[in-house]
Amino acid sequence: MNDSTWDVVIIGAGAAGLMCALTAGYRGCSVLVLDHANKPGKKILMSGGGRCNFTNLNSAPTDFFSQNPHFCISALKRYTPAHFVELIERHGVEYVEKAAGQLFSATSSKAILDVLLTECDWAGVELRLKTSIESVDWCDENACYTLATPKERVVARSLVVATGGLSIPSMGASGFGYELARQFGLEVLPTTAALVPFTFSDLWKDRFSELAGITADVDVECGGVHYREPLLMTHRGLSGPVILKASTHWQAGTPITINWLPDTDASETLKERRMSMPRRRVSTWLKEKLSQRLAGALAEWFELECTFAELSNAHCERIGALLNAMRLTPSGTEGWRTAEVTLGGVNTHEVSSKTLEAKLQPGLYFIGEVLDVTGQLGGHNFQWAWASGVACGNAL
Ligand code: FDA
């Protein structure tokens, strides 16, 4: 079997791995990137609906979830959204700001991946795809790692684990990074699918399914945190940015609260309308505020096919509470099949926030989503991939 020797071997040709590779390559390291997938950067390609929401200008440590909330600060401070914008501008990639601070490629996600691959090429990085890693061993005496692959044995002074999270296994996601962490004595915190739609069973599944494709601007509360964004009804439950964000706070069995009319005190308005326009139908008022079909559905669910005059005070209070704070409990989430990210992962207390090196295992580094660092929806996850990749690449 052939042997090849490198300064750095990176497992995972995703966002963090490629960024780390080009950074280390420019610093003069010989760098080999291994990936078992047939293409690099598959999640970059599918991200942002094919337009890659590659950063968020307002990205701050408070946009990240981790059991060690301070961990991400150092890397994020040293490599900011402006740095990444400067990189893609050098390559002439055009971009647009959609929601506040969220930057997307103006053309396609491929434009972002092409920047990384071009830079890797210029930095002399070698990329080997369709390569599975059978084993990883550390030799104390020679202070190096040996990786066995079906075709060759690869030896490296430094090993960077950039295998990402568990979401979308069909795109190459695997738990290999967690296995390596455990092999070298690091703790892996429990993992959960996040930025993921909610599913419902029974009555609510049927109700939302009938409205599949309809959106509404609502406020959703989950775990005490509120988000106001568009909601999307689906054949299995609820999705849309407001649900994906709320899912980062959700635990099985807990309810969410939907405010269908976030700008209106519904019970006060119902009482006021009872005096000012008693003969009007409540459903007509709802149709002024929401799409026809959603308003019709709410009127049916809450038995509002009546005039304002027919409502008692208690009725107004009860319906107001349903419209402003409808509580219901998802039966689950769509899971790893559609989740954008993984909550949890390699315990960051055991990794240096400056270099991303494992504190007790020399030459072993963890970057990107494999770590217990998860960004909120809106470009924060890629910003973490870039920033952690650069912090590590500069330390190799
Ligand atoms: P990433 O998953 O990118 O890369 C890991 C690499 O490791 C893969 O190439 C994989 O094949 C490889 N690998 C895994 N196991 C291996 C093994 N055993 N052997 C060899 N290689 C292995 N974020 C954001 O900021 N803006 C956005 O618009 C979106 N949109 C989005 C859409 C969808 C559908 C998803 C699923 C995710 C997003 N994200 C996102 C999240 C973002 O894609 C994610 O956080 C980053 O890609 C994480 O980068 P990493 O490099 O850590 O992992």
Side-chain angles (χ1 to χ4, degrees):
M1 190 184 269
N2 294 333
D3 270 11
S4 66
T5 302
W6 305 83
D7 293 324
V8 181
V9 168
I10 299 173
I11 307 177
L18 293 174
M19 199 64 177
C20 179
L22 69 92
T23 308
Y26 280 132
R27 295 183 69 251
C29 299
S30 59
V31 182
L32 172 68
V33 183
L34 300 175
D35 201 304
H36 63 174
N38 59 351
K39 277 189 205 156
K42 282 191 173 185
K43 280 195 187 162
I44 298 175
L45 290 175
M46 77 187 304
S47 67
R51 293 281 182 90
C52 188
N53 176 196
F54 57 84
T55 193
N56 190 310
L57 294 174
N58 305 320
S59 208
T62 46
D63 295 307
F64 294 85
F65 306 97
S66 172
Q67 287 202 10
N68 181 8
H70 295 295
F71 179 80
C72 61
I73 295 173
S74 171
L76 289 171
K77 241 189 190 165
R78 284 177 287 148
Y79 193 84
T80 65
H83 286 107
F84 195 78
V85 169
E86 191 271 331
L87 170 68
I88 63 161
E89 279 181 349
R90 263 195 280 128
H91 286 258
V93 173
E94 291 182 12
Y95 56 90
V96 287
E97 184 172 352
K98 286 201 178 168
Q102 295 179 20
L103 301 189
F104 288 73
S105 163
T107 54
S108 70
S109 299
K110 187 172 172 298
I112 303 294
L113 179 59
D114 285 347
V115 169
L116 298 171
L117 293 175
T118 303
E119 292 276 338
C120 278
D121 189 36
W122 291 347
V125 171
E126 176 109 10
L127 179 58
R128 283 188 205 152
L129 300 169
K130 294 192 216 163
T131 303
S132 55
I133 293 124
E134 291 163 345
S135 64
V136 175
D137 293 298
W138 160 250
C139 171
D140 222 358
E141 205 177 314
N142 301 328
C144 66
Y145 292 90
T146 303
L147 287 77
T149 75
K151 287 196 184 141
E152 63 170 344
R153 221 173 13 224
V154 174
V155 179
R157 150 173 81 73
S158 300
L159 177 63
V160 181
V161 182
T163 46
L166 291 170
S167 59
I168 326 228
S170 57
M171 288 288 130
S174 80
F176 187 62
Y178 306 135
E179 283 167 36
L180 279 181
R182 289 191 194 98
Q183 178 185 337
F184 290 102
L186 284 90
E187 186 188 9
V188 178
L189 298 170
T191 52
T192 330
L195 300 184
V196 64
F198 288 138
T199 55
F200 290 83
S201 52
D202 309 331
L203 179 68
W204 286 105
K205 177 175 183 283
D206 295 340
R207 284 179 168 179
F208 293 137
S209 177
E210 276 170 27
L211 299 173
I214 290 180
T215 59
D217 173 32
V218 302
D219 176 292
V220 169
E221 176 276 331
C222 183
V225 183
H226 286 260
Y227 292 105
R228 177 145 180 202
E229 299 263 359
L231 172 99
L232 170 71
M233 258 74 59
T234 73
H235 286 292
R236 288 161 54 85
L238 294 175
S239 186
V242 76
I243 293 297
L244 301 190
K245 285 187 170 180
S247 73
T248 54
H249 305 278
W250 190 71
Q251 287 181 346
T254 56
I256 61 168
T257 308
I258 303 175
N259 183 345
W260 296 100
L261 299 173
D263 295 322
T264 306
D265 182 331
S267 68
E268 283 308 308
T269 309
L270 289 169
K271 286 179 202 166
E272 185 274 315
R273 294 284 162 118
R274 203 175 41 181
M275 311 304 283
S276 61
M277 44 185 72
R279 291 196 184 156
R280 238 136 151 239
R281 297 192 73 74
V282 180
S283 56
T284 310
W285 165 69
L286 272 181
K287 282 174 188 159
E288 288 163 13
K289 307 234 158 236
L290 298 161
S291 74
Q292 295 266 323
R293 279 184 61 205
L294 177 57
L298 289 174
E300 191 191 319
W301 302 344
F302 304 153
E303 295 170 7
L304 295 176
E305 289 302 351
C306 57
T307 62
F308 284 105
E310 289 172 89
L311 298 176
S312 67
N313 241 356
H315 213 158
C316 289
E317 296 282 348
R318 191 178 66 78
I319 292 159
L322 286 170
L323 289 170
N324 281 143
M326 185 179 102
R327 269 162 80 85
L328 71 173
T329 304
S331 57
T333 72
E334 294 275 4
W336 300 115
R337 195 177 56 81
T338 62
E340 287 198 12
V341 287
T342 301
L343 278 173
V346 176
N347 188 343
T348 56
H349 285 105
E350 296 171 358
V351 176
S352 157
S353 61
K354 195 157 182 285
T355 62
L356 286 300
E357 186 176 15
K359 287 181 180 165
L360 297 178
Q361 178 61 41
L364 180 65
Y365 298 78
F366 292 87
I367 58 173
E369 204 184 311
V370 72
L371 286 162
D372 170 36
V373 177
T374 308
Q376 187 47 281
L377 188 76
H380 304 289
N381 283 295
F382 279 132
Q383 188 55 35
W384 170 245
W386 317 136
S388 59
V390 169
C392 176
N394 278 324
L396 292 165

